[in-house]
Each structure stands twice: as C-alpha cells, then as structure tokens.
Amino acid sequence: MKTAYDVILRPIVTEQSMEDLDIKKYVFEVAKDAGKIEIKKAVEEIFGVSVIKVTTCYIRSKEKRSGAYPKGYTAKRKKAVVKLSEDSKAIEIFEGMA
C-alpha cells in the first residue's frame, strides 16, 4: 500500500508553474502509476487543503548527451496540476517563491 509521500514525489518550481499560484494551482511531480483520485487524497492528506480538480500529463524523455557517443535519455515523468478550492489555505512550500 502506497503512502501519500510515495504518490507526491516533489513540487515543480518553474516560472510557468509560479504564475498560477494566485489562482491556487500547484504543480507536483507524481508517481507514474498514480491516478487522479490517489493524487487528490495525497495532497489533501499532506497539506491539509481541499482539492477541486487534478490534471495529469506525462513528460516524455528527451535525448541528452555529453560528448559524441554516450547518448542517453532523461527519465520519463508524470506531473499533476492541482487546483485548490477558494476557501482552502495556500500550500506553505510555495509561499516565498513567487
């Protein structure tokens, strides 16, 4: 059985993800096999907020190389955009970043 910390791997902090903080949208990297309901329950359990909507997408692997021949690929990932309700508090991890 997975815990909430196995589902939510890390927050994603980019310029694009920071623009949506004022409308209470947060972006997380999640486990590849996690479903939307699992992600919703994990965010509610970890941060004590109420989630309205979860949107997920897969991030494809990209070619990466150093030098001529040791060519490889970055890891495939899954990301989730979580929308919180209006009366919900903000998530503290993202507070000083925007």
Side-chain angles (χ1 to χ4, degrees), residues 40 52 54:
K40 178 181 177 178
I52 296 175
V54 177

Side-chain angles (χ1 to χ4, degrees), residues 15-71:
E15 287 183 27
Q16 189 174 9
S17 68
M18 294 294 111
E19 288 178 2
D20 292 336
L21 291 183
D22 54 342
I23 57 173
K24 294 195 175 185
K25 277 189 178 180
Y26 298 93
V27 183
F28 296 97
E29 184 177 333
V30 296
K32 289 182 205 169
D33 59 343
K36 291 182 180 184
I37 296 170
E38 271 184 306
I39 294 167
K40 178 181 177 178
K41 288 179 182 176
V43 169
E44 288 176 346
E45 179 182 330
I46 293 171
F47 301 109
V49 294
S50 60
V51 176
I52 296 175
K53 184 177 181 180
V54 177
T55 309
T56 60
C57 68
Y58 285 99
I59 308 299
R60 67 178 178 84
S61 62
K62 298 177 185 172
E63 190 176 287
K64 188 149 186 153
R65 58 179 230 181
S66 60
Y69 291 106
K71 184 169 80 170

